[in-house]
Structure formats: structure tokens, C-alpha cells
Amino acid sequence: MNFTQTLKENQFKVTPSRLEALEVLSLSKTPMTIEQIWQKLVKSQPNLVTVYRIIKDFKQKDLVRQVDLQHQHAHFELSAKDDHHHLVCTQCGRLEDVPGCQLNDLVMQSVRRSSNFTSTSGHNFEIFGLCKDCVRK
Amino acid sequence: MNFTQTLKENQFKVTPSRLEALEVLSLSKTPMTIEQIWQKLVKSQPNLVTVYRIIKDFKQKDLVRQVDLQHQHAHFELSAKDDHHHLVCTQCGRLEDVPGCQLNDLVMQSVRRSSNFTSTSGHNFEIFGLCKDCVRK
DNA sequence: AATTTAAATGCAAATTATTTGCATTTATCA
DNA sequence: TGATAAATGCAAATAATTTGCATTTAAATT
């Protein structure tokens, strides 16, 4: 995928931080916090505030989606990644991707029945429980 | 529902704040923030910190579930309420309950296929989009 | 009913996450 | 190459949540 093009298509100026942010997100197998993204931005080394702003703008343009794992901070992942959901350990935070998404019919059905909404931009589906390590304790 | 009994069953001391918190949550049609719960606690008038602690303890015992609407603070609702999910407006925050939950099979299937998890305590499913008022603008 | 005790609460202060204001720099376009 | 609007950095503000510690209270025991 061409990050420069992605940025241009979304009316963003092509800056080193934004390019590297896209790269970092695309390489990550799990949703990342702002702090985690920031630490991976070794080439551009932007200010933490800049990372907040970049990700916020990406979210607004639906380039990334926000994932809430009920930790103490938001997580983000590229929207371009395959639709999937997550298993989250409520004790240690351990995370597992659940590949594939069988929710699209349900989403459409929900919208069809709604009187306030006629379209959607995305959805989140997280499953909480104890991972095998935490069950032992 | 008998709130005193609910508290005792969960090894909580029966205090005015906890009783009223359960009452307030049970009367609410939408998930509430800590601040909103606090403002409704007119009889017991506890400190805001106490509300944080009460809800945290309730969550630990699965009396309430946390709902993330991607606003700037967490929301909570009684677990006893029917399993359902939410339509959330990404612009104005407008919220609509989607009654019923057809996700249990999917949750069980996900767990069956997982190597790290063998059980779950709950799940969240939120659908994001623009409500009809915000679409107009 | 009075006494004991662990748990619950209040208050002040700390911590963490996120945002804002403003001055400076930089990507883009004429 | 120069002009300009957007992007960035830095300091400080705000918002959400947590912690420490002293005091109060529910409930178990006498």
C-alpha cells in the first residue's frame, strides 16, 4: 500500500510523521495506544502531542478506527485491516484477534430498524473474559 | 428486584450510596457516566470518589458492565439489563439502544476457536455512524 | 444494647490521558 | 522561489480517574 497516496487522497499534507504513523500502524498486529505509536516513530520522532493530533485526524477521516479494550487509554488500528474483533482478558489485558467478521448483516439489520440512524461508519465488538493464565490464579 | 439482597449476595456491605446507585442504574434507560450517576444520588449524596469506587467494585463483581461509546469517559449499565447493543452518533453522541442480542453463538464460537481463552464474562458491541440530524449538516 | 473491627467514605492531592494556545516551521502550489 | 495555510513543538491547561490517609459506619460478637 502506498502511504503517500493514502494521505493525499484524504487531503492531508504528506509529512514524515504521518507517513511513519501509517507505516507503524500497518505493521502492528494489535491495536496500539498513542503512547505505543509514539515510541515506534523512531525516524520522525514527533512530539507526543503531534501523534495525538495525527491519530485524531486519521480517525476523523476513517483511516483508523478506535478500539476500546477497557484499559485506561484508547487503542487504534488501521481501518484498512480486515474487519475482525477481539478477545480481551479483564485481568491482565491480554489480547487476541478473532479473525473474520460475521456482523455485517446484524449491523445492517440494526440500522434498518432504527428510526434515528440510516447509515454507519463502523462498529466495535469486544469479548471480555479471563485468559487461561489468569483463570489459573 | 431487591437491591439489599443483591448487595449481600455479592459480599457488599449495605450502604445508602450503594443502594441508591443500584436504584439509579436500574431506572436509567441508557448507560451512564460516573458523573451522571453521582448527580442522581440525591438521597445519599456521596463524594464523587465514592461513586468511582462503588462502580468499580460493581464492575469487578459483574453487577455492572462498562460500555465504551468513544466519548471522553466510560459509561456503565446494570448487567441485569437485557443483553443489547448500541447505535452511537460519532458527531453528537446520540445514542440508541438496539434491543436483543444475537451474538451469543458468535461469542461461543470465538472462544471455542481461541487458544488463550476458555470462557467469557461479557461482550460489547457498538455501531457507530451519523444520526439523521447530523447527516443533514 | 454496647463493643469491636474490617470495610466504606470523605477530602485533598496525585496521576494519567488528552487537549489547547501560541509561536515557529514546513509542504504545497502559484 | 515565495506566499500561505497547514503542521509541529513546547508549555500549560483540562478532564478523568486513582491514591493515601484519617474518620465514620455496617455488621458481627458479646
Side-chain angles (χ1 to χ4, degrees), chain B residues 13 15 18 46-47 50 53:
Chain B
K13 285 192 181 177
T15 67
R18 291 213 261 239
N47 191 281
T50 299
R53 288 197 268 232

Side-chain angles (χ1 to χ4, degrees), chain A residues 93-111:
Chain A
R94 180 175 195 153
L95 188 66
E96 185 184 317
D97 264 29
V98 179
C101 177
Q102 295 107 307
L103 294 174
N104 291 319
D105 287 353
L106 186 50
V107 170
M108 295 209 310
Q109 187 191 92
S110 299
V111 174

Side-chain angles (χ1 to χ4, degrees), chain A residues 26-124:
Chain A
S26 77
L27 291 172
S28 175
K29 280 186 287 291
T30 51
M32 302 174 82
T33 64
I34 297 291
E35 195 90 18
Q36 288 171 333
I37 296 168
W38 182 52
Q39 279 160 8
K40 291 272 183 181
L41 262 23
V42 291
K43 283 183 288 185
S44 49
Q45 287 190 255
N47 192 280
L48 179 59
V49 176
T50 299
V51 183
Y52 270 101
R53 290 197 266 231
I54 286 175
I55 300 302
K56 189 180 194 176
D57 294 342
F58 281 2
K59 185 185 166 191
Q60 208 123 21
K61 287 281 173 69
D62 279 321
L63 272 177
V64 302
R65 68 175 147 252
Q66 183 175 335
V67 178
D68 285 298
L69 307 177
Q70 303 200 355
H71 298 173
Q72 41 289 312
H73 24 236
H75 289 71
F76 300 89
E77 62 185 5
L78 275 196
S79 304
K81 297 217 166 176
D82 274 352
D83 223 354
H84 62 277
H85 29 273
H86 303 99
L87 280 165
V88 189
C89 181
T90 52
Q91 191 91 75
C92 70
R94 180 175 195 153
L95 188 66
E96 185 184 317
D97 264 29
V98 179
C101 177
Q102 295 107 307
L103 294 174
N104 291 319
D105 287 353
L106 186 50
V107 170
M108 295 209 310
Q109 187 191 92
S110 299
V111 174
R112 222 178 304 120
R113 291 180 180 166
S114 165
S115 47
N116 297 316
F117 290 80
T118 53
S119 70
T120 63
S121 53
H123 59 268
N124 272 175

